[in-house]
């Protein structure tokens, strides 16, 4: 996910959750938990993008490994909001499928960078 794409995805996901909160009946605390989990996801994504950028610019292995670890968590978040949440709209599926494709390409590139950096040391 890029610095330009993630805010768009997050705002659309937030708006869709607000819409679903008004239209669909949620059982128990499901709506509150789904809404709450959006905010730690933002913080994790900021840290992920920062560590990936820092690792790439400084060619240090530790930030790249942090980037790869948080990318896996981000991938789980996209899969949850794309197919596993209480109510999934077609827009959720499309939005998060595109995000997963971008995230997987970043994981592949980050893995290649980590392998290259580990061979150079």
């Amino acid at each position: 996910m890029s610095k330009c794409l993630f805010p768009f995805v997050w705002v659309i996901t937030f708006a869709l959750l607000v819409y679903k909160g008004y239209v669909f009946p949620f059982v128990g605390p499901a709506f509150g938990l789904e809404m709450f989990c959006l905010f730690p996801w933002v913080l994790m994504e900021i840290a992920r993008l920062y560590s990936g950028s820092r690792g790439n610019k400084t060619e240090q292995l530790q930030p790249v490994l942090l980037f790869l670890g948080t990318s896996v968590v981000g991938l789980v978040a996209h899969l949850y909001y794309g197919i596993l949440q209480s109510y999934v709209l077609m827009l959720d599926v499309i939005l998060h499928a595109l995000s997963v494709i971008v995230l997987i390409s970043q994981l592949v590139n980050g893995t290649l960078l980590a392998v290259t950096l580990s061979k150079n040391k």
Side-chain angles (χ1 to χ4, degrees), residues 9-57:
V9 169
W10 191 87
V11 167
I12 296 295
T13 302
F14 181 80
L16 286 173
L17 268 173
V18 170
Y19 168 76
K20 290 182 238 180
Y22 284 114
V23 174
F24 300 113
F26 280 83
V27 178
F31 177 73
L33 289 173
E34 289 181 6
M35 191 63 87
F36 171 76
C37 288
L38 283 175
F39 297 98
W41 182 31
V42 168
L43 299 176
M44 187 273 315
E45 189 67 22
I46 291 169
R48 185 184 81 82
L49 291 172
Y50 176 75
S51 66
S53 176
R54 182 170 176 249
N56 186 33
K57 290 175 185 171

Side-chain angles (χ1 to χ4, degrees), residues 1-2 5-11 13 37-38 41-42 44-45 48-49 70-85 88 91-104 106-107:
M1 202 58 93
S2 69
L5 184 60
F6 182 73
F8 172 75
V9 169
W10 191 87
V11 167
T13 302
C37 288
L38 283 175
W41 182 31
V42 168
M44 187 273 315
E45 189 67 22
R48 185 184 81 82
L49 291 172
T70 54
S71 292
V72 172
V73 176
L75 185 61
V76 170
H78 281 291
L79 290 175
Y80 176 78
Y81 283 107
I83 58 176
L84 297 174
Q85 62 181 322
V88 180
L91 185 57
D92 287 318
V93 174
I94 293 168
L95 182 68
H96 292 284
L98 293 173
S99 299
V100 164
I101 291 169
V102 171
L103 196 57
I104 287 174
Q106 289 177 345
L107 269 169

